[in-house]
Amino acid sequence: MQIIAIIMGLAAGLLFGIATPLSKLTLSHLNSFQLAGLLYLGASIAFLPYMIINKSKKLVLLNTKGTKKHLIGIVLFGGLLGPLFLMVGLKSANSMSVSIWLNMELVATALLGVIIFKESLGRYTLLGIIFTLLSSIVICSQENSSGIISALFIILACICWGVDNHLTAIIDGTTPQATTFIKGLFGGTVNLMIGMFLSGNKIEIQYIGIGLLIGVFSYGISIFLYVTSAQNLGATRSQILFSSSTFWGIIAAYLFLREKFSFITIIAFILLFIGIIFSNKISHKHSHFHSRMVHIHMHTHDDDHHNHSHGENFDTHTKHSHIHEHDEITHEHSHYPDMHHRHEH
C-alpha cells in the first residue's frame, strides 16, 4: 500500500503542476474568483457520479463533531482561500515563477505538522525536506523576482493548503472522494458567485468548460490522489511527493507558454528525486498505544491495524473502503504519521 501511495502522490503532483500554465492562459479571459470557482467546481464534478451512487454510505459519519470541524477547515482553507490566493498571485506573475513559489507549500506543511498537528518527521524526512528546498533554490537562482505582492499571495495560498493538507490527512469520517466533492462544491460555488458579482454577471461562456475541465483533472483527480496518499504516508511526506508539481509546471510553461527553460532544471530534478527517496524511508519505530476508533478510509488487511472479517475467501491485499472499528492495542512497528499514528512523542 505504501508504494501505491507514493505513486499516487507523484501523479497528484503531475496533474496539479500542469494546471499552473493552463490557468495562466485562462486568466486572460476570467477574473481570479471566477477561475478559482470553476477549478474547484470541476473538482466536484469529477466525483459527482461517485457521490450519487454512494451518498448514503460514504457520508454517514459526517455528523460527528470532529469530522465536521475538520471538513469546515478543509473547505475554508483548501477550497476557498487557497485557490483564490493562487489565482490572484498568478494574475501578476509568470507561470514558471509561480510554479517555483508553490514549493513553499512543503515548508508550510512541514512547519504546521511539527508545531500543531503532532507529526513526527524523522531524520530521513528532514533530509528529504532539505533536498526538496535545495531543488527549489537551484531553480530560483535563474529567475527574476516576479514581484513582492505576487509572491505574498502565493505564500498565503501555500499556508492555506498546508492547513488543508493536515486536516485532509487526519479526517476519518468520510472518503477522499467525498472530501474532494464537498470541498469543490462549496469552495467553488462561493468563489464563482463572488467572481460573477465583481464582473457584473459577465463571463466568457467558452472558457467555462475549459476552467471546469482543468478542475476535473488537476484539482479533482489530483486532490483525490493526494488525499489517499496523505492518509497512508502523512501530510508532510505526501507533500514532498506532491512538490514535484513545481517541475511539471515548469515543463508545461515551456511547452504551452514558451517561457524560458534552462539545463539547470535537470540538477533541480535530481535534488528533488533524492528528496523523495529520503522522505519515504521509514526511520520511526517505537511502542505506541491505539485507542478505540470507528472511521472510514481506503485500507487493506495486510498491515497491523485492519483485522476485521470479510469472510474466508477475502484477499487481504485488496484495497477497499468502508466503516470499520479498531480495538485498543499497544504494539511496536515502523510507521508513518498517518491517520492511525498521530500520537504524542
Side-chain angles (χ1 to χ4, degrees), residues 201-238:
N201 290 323
K202 296 179 180 179
I203 189 171
E204 295 190 41
I205 302 297
Q206 63 270 34
Y207 287 95
I208 294 177
I210 294 175
L212 290 175
L213 188 62
I214 297 172
V216 167
F217 289 96
S218 294
Y219 286 81
I221 296 176
S222 177
I223 290 173
F224 162 70
L225 292 172
Y226 173 79
V227 170
T228 305
S229 177
Q231 289 183 343
N232 286 277
L233 301 177
T236 299
R237 287 172 176 83
S238 292

Side-chain angles (χ1 to χ4, degrees), residues 88-106:
V88 173
L90 183 59
K91 191 82 173 180
S92 56
N94 65 61
S95 176
M96 196 171 290
S97 296
V98 171
S99 294
I100 293 168
W101 277 106
L102 282 173
N103 228 17
M104 291 299 294
E105 186 178 347
L106 167 62

Side-chain angles (χ1 to χ4, degrees), residues 100-236:
I100 293 168
W101 277 106
L102 282 173
N103 228 17
M104 291 299 294
E105 186 178 347
L106 167 62
V107 180
T109 302
L111 292 177
L112 289 168
V114 173
I115 296 171
I116 299 176
F117 291 96
K118 303 178 183 179
E119 181 162 329
S120 176
L121 299 184
R123 62 182 182 275
Y124 289 119
T125 304
L126 290 174
L127 284 172
I129 292 172
I130 291 172
F131 276 104
T132 303
L133 290 178
L134 284 175
S135 70
S136 181
I137 292 171
V138 166
I139 290 183
C140 285
S141 67
Q142 67 176 359
E143 295 292 330
N144 296 321
S145 173
S146 60
I148 299 298
I149 294 178
S150 177
L152 288 176
F153 275 112
I154 300 302
I155 292 174
L156 284 173
C158 291
I159 293 173
C160 289
W161 277 324
V163 176
D164 175 35
N165 291 337
H166 283 287
L167 293 177
T168 294
I170 63 178
I171 190 170
D172 59 2
T174 183
T175 62
Q177 296 95 321
T179 301
T180 302
F181 175 81
I182 294 170
K183 175 165 63 174
L185 179 62
F186 286 96
T189 299
V190 172
N191 270 332
L192 182 58
M193 289 176 63
I194 295 174
M196 294 301 293
F197 174 78
L198 294 177
S199 67
N201 290 323
K202 296 179 180 179
I203 189 171
E204 295 190 41
I205 302 297
Q206 63 270 34
Y207 287 95
I208 294 177
I210 294 175
L212 290 175
L213 188 62
I214 297 172
V216 167
F217 289 96
S218 294
Y219 286 81
I221 296 176
S222 177
I223 290 173
F224 162 70
L225 292 172
Y226 173 79
V227 170
T228 305
S229 177
Q231 289 183 343
N232 286 277
L233 301 177
T236 299

Side-chain angles (χ1 to χ4, degrees), residues 48-61:
L48 180 59
Y50 172 89
M51 292 302 298
I52 292 174
I53 296 172
N54 297 282
K55 180 179 178 181
S56 62
K57 294 186 292 183
K58 302 304 182 183
L59 299 181
V60 68
L61 295 181

Side-chain angles (χ1 to χ4, degrees), residues 2-59:
Q2 304 300 341
I3 294 177
I4 295 174
I6 291 171
I7 294 174
M8 285 183 169
L10 290 171
L14 168 62
L15 291 174
F16 182 73
I18 63 176
T20 302
L22 294 177
S23 297
K24 180 68 175 179
L25 288 171
T26 311
L27 272 173
S28 59
H29 303 278
L30 301 170
N31 65 44
S32 299
F33 283 94
Q34 288 174 332
L35 183 53
L38 288 172
L39 290 174
Y40 271 70
L41 283 175
S44 184
I45 290 172
F47 296 104
L48 180 59
Y50 172 89
M51 292 302 298
I52 292 174
I53 296 172
N54 297 282
K55 180 179 178 181
S56 62
K57 294 186 292 183
K58 302 304 182 183
L59 299 181

